[in-house]
Amino acid sequence: MEPSEVQRGLQDVVALESRICFIDGREGRLLYRGYDIRELAERSTFEEVAYLLWYGRLPTAGQLRDLTQRLRELRILPEPLRAWIGSLPATTAPMDLLRTAVSALALFEPEETRPGPSSIGGAQRLTAVLPTILGEFHRRRSGRPPLAPRPELSAAAYLLYAVLDREPTELEARALDVALILHADHELNASTFAARVTASTLSDLYSAVTSAIGTLKGPLHGGANERVMELLDEIGSVDRVEEVVKERLARHERIMGFGHRVYKVEDPRATILRRWSEKVGAARGNLHYYELLRKLEEVVHREKGLYPNVDLYSGSVYALFGIPPDLFTPLFAASRVAGWTAHVLEEYDDLRLIRPTAKYVGPTDLAYVPIGERPDDPGPAGAARPA
Ligand code: CMC
């Protein structure tokens, strides 16, 4: 096949077949393994959704009990990794910590959790352990006592306990459970694609998830939720929303939490999180962020025709729990790891090296000039970037 026109950002390119996630961007629908996200958010749990993503079907009661038990057992970190986390400066960015900790974890894991179609144990291990990595780090940097494994807590409750060092309320645990369900997968988003590209070389699961975490970090992807909260704090009050948005748009800046490559209408995850933002805010007697976000939606839609995405409301829920903003994107990772690993397993099952082509637009046939004969100023091609 002859190379055709370049699709910048691979927009609308169908890269592979998958049975994991379906998005209808025009109707605002999202399905995991055929199940509507709205029903899963209403009736399911993160553990059950992880089972669904990995195994392709809903579990029986016994299967869910076994998986839940296994995830709880797999929470404990190898001692050298715990010690390494304890040695990090408090200024370490949590996404950097998470990326490097997953990479380092591979050094301490047994052979049987390494690559290949049978590596579902690795998927479970990574999903179970990310909250522990975050909790260990956050507790150390804020001078709190180390974590206990707390095998009686659900994934969401353990994550909250890990970072907050207190018992979460039922409402908090359920709100986070729903957020974890909503973030668990999203078809070929950038980080999942990165994971699949890595897996397609027959590299291991830990390398694939390390690639994915590095990709999620960027503000155009998972990093947007933290930036939304920075914007809300800059705005401060509802009567300033209009002014700040217009200023930003006049400077051609993006408003984080809005727009999506696939959804042309409202992201269904934003619809669900909006309700939780209101619910948690009302329970706390603090609707400050919720009200700012409602106004922000109104102004951004009027000015740019953009709809909210999943990142708009999540931070407003986490902030009310007392979670610091630099843990918002790591929380996204602690959920999306279920989807990343499901995609990596699917990639191993239907392996084809992912290797697109580029349309070359640079010069050709340049004459090589020996270094001693080159002019001092090499011209714009060499000077375009700062050293
Ligand atoms: N604020 C202002 N303008 C925007 C925004 C925004 N959030 N999103 C898109 N636009 C404008 C953009 O400037 C462009 O305008 P013009 O045609 O006049 O240059 C037009 O809309 C099309 O933008 P695009 O970048 O070609 O569209 P895309 O499909 O590549 O963008 C996006 C998708 C998510 C990168 C983009 O909407 C964005 O930067 N949003 C803000 C970051 C954000 O919230 N990211 C989270 C995404 S959802 C969770 C996830 O997947 O991680």
Side-chain angles (χ1 to χ4, degrees):
M1 194 172 83
E2 281 299 303
S4 54
E5 274 313 292
V6 174
Q7 298 294 332
R8 289 192 70 233
L10 299 184
Q11 180 156 5
D12 299 326
V13 171
V14 180
L16 48 88
E17 286 185 348
S18 175
R19 297 177 182 280
I20 300 173
C21 185
F22 172 72
I23 305 172
D24 182 337
R26 297 198 183 282
E27 295 293 325
R29 286 185 79 208
L30 168 61
L31 312 181
Y32 292 167
R33 300 279 192 184
Y35 295 92
D36 195 298
I37 193 68
R38 289 169 296 196
E39 195 169 9
L40 294 171
E42 192 68 39
R43 304 175 64 175
S44 189
T45 61
F46 177 66
E47 287 87 342
E48 188 179 48
V49 162
Y51 187 102
L52 176 66
L53 293 171
W54 290 328
Y55 294 95
R57 57 177 192 279
L58 287 172
T60 63
Q63 287 166 336
L64 182 58
R65 209 172 34 246
D66 290 350
L67 176 69
T68 303
Q69 170 73 17
R70 179 131 182 78
L71 290 174
R72 292 173 186 195
E73 287 164 6
L74 288 170
R75 281 175 185 164
I76 298 165
L77 286 181
E79 194 44 44
L81 190 60
R82 222 173 67 82
W84 172 75
I85 293 173
S87 74
L88 293 172
T91 50
T92 305
M95 281 300 277
D96 290 340
L97 154 85
L98 208 56
R99 183 200 58 227
T100 306
V102 165
S103 178
L105 183 65
L107 305 176
F108 306 110
E109 299 291 49
E111 245 342 277
E112 61 269 17
T113 55
R114 293 302 172 82
S118 62
S119 61
I120 195 141
Q124 294 169 356
R125 170 62 162 160
L126 286 168
T127 304
V129 92
L130 256 51
T132 310
I133 294 171
L134 291 174
E136 282 288 346
F137 172 69
H138 182 59
R139 281 159 171 259
R140 296 251 182 179
R141 75 172 174 176
S142 46
R144 292 174 177 156
L147 269 174
R150 300 296 306 268
E152 75 286 8
L153 295 181
S154 70
Y158 174 67
L159 189 44
L160 283 172
Y161 154 74
V163 297
L164 296 175
D165 189 28
R166 66 171 171 79
E167 294 306 307
T169 65
E170 221 169 278
L171 179 79
E172 287 173 334
R174 182 57 192 155
L176 187 66
D177 201 20
V178 171
L180 294 179
I181 292 169
L182 297 178
H183 287 87
D185 196 45
H186 211 231
E187 199 224 46
L188 276 198
N189 61 91
S191 56
T192 302
F193 189 57
R196 287 193 79 133
V197 169
T198 305
S200 84
T201 69
L202 257 186
S203 184
D204 66 296
L205 192 64
Y206 292 75
S207 300
V209 171
T210 305
S211 302
I213 296 173
T215 309
L216 184 72
K217 183 181 166 191
L220 295 189
H221 191 5
N225 56 9
E226 189 180 337
R227 309 286 171 103
V228 170
M229 299 311 286
E230 285 167 14
L231 176 64
L232 295 189
D233 289 337
E234 183 199 323
I235 292 173
S237 59
V238 171
D239 58 352
R240 281 194 11 96
V241 171
E242 185 111 19
E243 175 194 337
V244 174
V245 169
K246 284 184 173 166
E247 275 169 16
R248 289 215 171 195
L249 291 177
R251 292 197 299 265
H252 301 286
E253 286 177 24
R254 286 178 185 235
I255 313 292
M256 295 293 143
F258 289 90
H260 202 276
R261 176 62 67 78
V262 183
Y263 293 114
K264 304 303 168 210
V265 293
E266 180 165 295
D267 179 336
R269 302 167 300 172
T271 316
I272 298 166
L273 281 172
R274 181 192 292 116
R275 282 202 296 273
W276 277 97
S277 174
E278 185 178 19
K279 202 165 170 172
V280 173
R284 291 280 168 125
N286 179 356
L287 287 165
H288 171 69
Y289 285 135
Y290 176 76
E291 283 162 4
L292 281 180
L293 287 166
R294 293 298 285 161
K295 183 70 181 173
L296 191 61
E297 276 194 65
E298 178 200 317
V299 176
V300 172
H301 191 259
R302 180 179 3 104
E303 295 297 318
K304 286 292 283 188
L306 292 167
Y307 292 96
N309 61 48
V310 69
D311 281 324
L312 188 67
Y313 279 96
S314 56
S316 68
V317 176
Y318 305 153
L320 283 171
F321 297 164
I323 298 174
D326 65 357
L327 294 183
F328 294 174
T329 312
L331 287 187
F332 190 155
S335 160
R336 184 60 57 89
V337 64
W340 290 330
T341 50
H343 279 269
V344 168
L345 296 176
E346 188 178 61
E347 190 63 41
Y348 289 149
D349 284 345
D350 184 23
L351 197 95
R352 172 91 179 138
L353 175 72
I354 299 174
R355 201 292 190 196
T357 53
K359 176 178 175 178
Y360 179 68
V361 294
T364 55
D365 303 324
L366 297 181
Y368 182 84
V369 180
I371 197 158
E373 296 169 26
R374 291 174 208 164
D376 284 342
D377 177 3
R385 282 173 196 278

